[in-house]
Amino acid sequence: MDLPEKLLARRDTTRPSSMGHKLSRGRENVDTSPRGRFSISEEAPPRYIAHEENDVSKSPGVNHAKCTAELPQVVVSIEASGDSAARQGSSPDVRRPSLYSTLDEVPQLDFYTNTTFLGRQRRSRPTLETLRKAFDDGDTASNAESAGNEGLSDIQEVLHSVDGTTTKTAKPPVRFGWVTGVMIRCMLNIWGVVLFLRLSWITAKAGIILTWVIILLSVVITSVTALSVSAISTNGRVKSGGAYFMISRTLGPEIGGPIGMVFSFANAIACAFHSVGFAETVGTLLKEHDAVMVDELNDVRIIGVITVTLLLLISLAGMEWEAKTQVLFFLMLMVTFANYFVGTFLPPTPQKQAQGFFSYQMDIFVDNLLPDKRNAAGYFFEMFSIFFPSAIGILAGANISGDLKDPAHAIPKGTLMAILFTTLSYLAISITLGSCVIRDATGALEDQLIMNMTTYEGCEGLACSFGWNFTRCLHDVQCQYGLSNDHQVLRMVSGFGPLIIAGLFAASLSSALAFLVSAPKVFQCLCRDKIYPYIGFFAKGYGKNDEPLRAYILTYLIALAFILIGDLNKVAPVISNFFLCSYALINFSCFHASITNSPGWRPSFRYYNRWVALFGAVVSVVIMFLLSWQMALITLCLILLLLGYVTYKKPEVNWGSSMQANKYNMALSYSVSLSGVEDHVKNYRPQCLVLTGPPPLRPALVDFVGSFTKNISLMICGDILMDDKSALPHHSADSLVKWLNRRKVRSFYAQLNGDSLRDGARALLQASGLGKLKPNTLIMGFKSNWRECSPHSLDDYVNTIYDTFDRNYGVCILRLMDGLDITEELLYEDNGGLEQGESPEQQSCNNSTEDDSDQDSSQQGHQDNVPSDQITSVFQTTQGKKTIDVYWISDDGGLTLLIPYLLTRRKHWRNCKVRLFVVGQQQTSEEDHRKEMVCLLQRFRLDVHDVIVITDSERPPLTKNLKRFESSIAPFRLSGEQEERTTPLRAGSPSSWRLSDKELDAFKTKSERKVRLNEIIRRNSTHAALVIVSLPVPQSGCPSSLYMAWLEALTCGLHCPALLIRGNQQNVLTFYCQ
């Protein structure tokens, strides 16, 4: 049942009116059975339950039938062989009643989970309605028992499925612990190609000190990010999606969507980066053995393509094979490191000395402490951009969070341990290289100095003191060896060179494999959230681990594109930029979630600080621009473009993000601060309480008020439920708010129970709003059935206007020729309009006793078979170059002029011209009065097209119009005998709606003026888009029927919407600056 059907079902026995309320339907019989609220447990009852039952059975004089009825339903134990793994870690599913009630339940984990275990029925706690209405009648217990029987049948179906052969043979998905799932995976990603191919070169260029600064700066960024990741990952259960999942669930889809797209792309590029590193090593080996296939660059491309293809096949085999491969790579790297450190202590051979290796020497250490003097300006950040990709592996474990046994425990522990061990290894390797190897060497054995000739005159450089002459390397001769030239220094220094090659293969391949797995996992989560269009194709998963095979292929294609670049140093800055952006947003997510002070932010990981997280975010952004401001701008523009799309589309997701918490904090803070701001006429805004009833039933009224309050002032749609003590369910109220949002109306929805329209409106006027954000104007629909409704309903409507004026509020009454209520249109798809041969004036004036719901919606543009959510009212269409005619009969402070001005600021009314009609004064001429009014409008800075002075308002109305007025009040007039018995009590007396001849004579002049004004309006505003007329203020003692006849007379026969408006007689316009 969609929203309009629910509203119609709610009003099926009522006669709707246009003021936003409904009549009583009487209380219905409510089925109080807790059907569907309880489920039958898997396990047997607790022992103390059985003990209590035994005690009852042993007690003499106890009614066992009654005791049995009060005990909980019998529970059923389900034991299925082979499903122990699926239930591992789950608590027994036992229904234990509370001490307060047999229907109430004690706290249980199942009530807070979103998913259920295999073979277990979804359980939920009883609702308040169930607890309140429990055992109201004799059927409740039987209903509860029947619900239990239904639960038994459901469990039996589950039991059959569990006993099936398919379930027995199915294996549980692979889950990893913190060591294999996070720590080893992160360490393998951090120990990448930079360690083996670029660390020695960075040490030579930047020196040991600055190399350590680069390493520690990267570690600071990654450590702060790891702390933020740890805090976010322990603030609730983390599913698959890694960094994207954590950012999006913390900051919301607006920020999470763009970073998920960028992060997935960055992981795909990182896969290409490590594949190119592997291809470079293989290409070097081919070159050493004279086995070059094409040339150096194309060999790297060919090998890279073959490598990433083989890694794709491993990934497609499943996470289990991928994890085993990672463990093998890790063991190989451990052997490689041991081989390297052993090699640094071995005596160097002449071949190694010729390549610049002299074991540990203090002179070499001192010379390599400082940067190379030959470096160009800006080399530090160039070195940092090349090194930083080695630190991006800290999220490798978080990226497969959906494949971890306990992400909240594994991610913090594994990530921080991986950062610690890898940092020590990088620092140790950089200082050992700087202590053993000089910057430049020729590699030629003939450059060795003759014995006892260390003071050879032509020798320059540090190598001379060790018996080698590498002087030519200092004079613009490109040498091939040394820290500055040879990217394979670790291989030369180690005890056994081939093991370094094996370690390099393991590091590059493991990193490429990890990124090839991470990118599809993150992208699959992004696709499933349906934030962006046209990517849902990649959301499908396969197998027990829900492998994103389609996303694997996409990642493979992106990696191929960047492998074809073939240059490691060109790919590295792109990766650094994207990952720094991701780290900045992760740190900002942690900071933002902490600063909002949301009660839902309760991470179990305590070793984080909001200001440290903010520092990490700022540093990441600064370094982005220092590395490459062009790439930083491109990245930010891409994120802003994706952000703009998500902000515009507003995906229907609710993740409880910190952005939502921040909006609440800001609204609360500004509302409190606004309470201390004094009111000023320059800041006046019409804050409207609109009696719409359910907003979808009166869309025209909603659209009209929304057209001049949107982004300007407050609007509250009030719905008064009369004589019905049970309001709509919360989800129904939410659906009405969603209807307003879909219609792009910025309004609140307030629902209130009231005995009458008057009581409900009075309560809404008193209670609606917050602080200074309170209504100051009441807007309601015209009661078109005022002549046929009950006297109580008539008095109720008019007294609502009285009460509003008494509270010093403004009042607006909107009337459409076809009415405001579209209930009949929703009930009957084929609703005829005007009868053939009947004029609109006759329909409006002669037959206006019909209710608004009985009118057709020709002015609202409604067509058959159009969904109710898409009904277009007259206020949603462009009005063209029509006029807005304002009949400013009485000065109310300026509200009558302010409303049309606000309307003309909207695109639908922008081309309309405002015409002002005023009543001429006898003591001034028509031209003088017009000039005076034009001067006033100019001071108010209001753009009024024309000012027209009405000079014939004192003429008597036409006889036919006067007779029509008299016929409208004829049913309410007292006869002679009734008039003698009636006391002159008004405004609340039982007969306040009756009209005596004396009262009619007393108000005769006013009545004739209303009829005459209607003639003037119909003569001058035939083609107007909107007519605005000053609303007469009812005097005490004025019968409600006469007042409604005045409103009828003022708006009768108009072809356009009419608005009766009256301010609270206080200035809302000023021409002063203060």
Side-chain angles (χ1 to χ4, degrees), residues 195-196 200 340 429 433 487-494 500:
L195 175 65
F196 291 93
S200 59
Y340 164 75
I429 292 176
L433 284 174
H487 292 166
Q488 302 284 345
V489 171
L490 269 72
R491 174 186 173 192
M492 181 265 295
V493 172
S494 64
I500 296 296

Side-chain angles (χ1 to χ4, degrees), residues 138-194:
D139 296 335
T140 306
S142 60
N143 289 337
E145 184 176 358
S146 64
N149 294 334
E150 289 181 1
L152 284 172
S153 62
D154 293 339
I155 291 181
Q156 290 174 357
E157 293 179 2
V158 175
L159 184 59
H160 291 317
S161 63
V162 171
D163 289 337
T165 56
T166 304
T167 307
K168 287 185 177 181
T169 57
K171 295 182 180 180
V174 179
R175 295 289 183 261
F176 306 108
W178 72 272
V179 176
T180 58
V182 181
M183 188 185 74
I184 291 180
R185 190 176 296 273
C186 290
M187 293 175 71
L188 288 174
N189 275 260
I190 297 173
W191 288 330
V193 295
V194 174

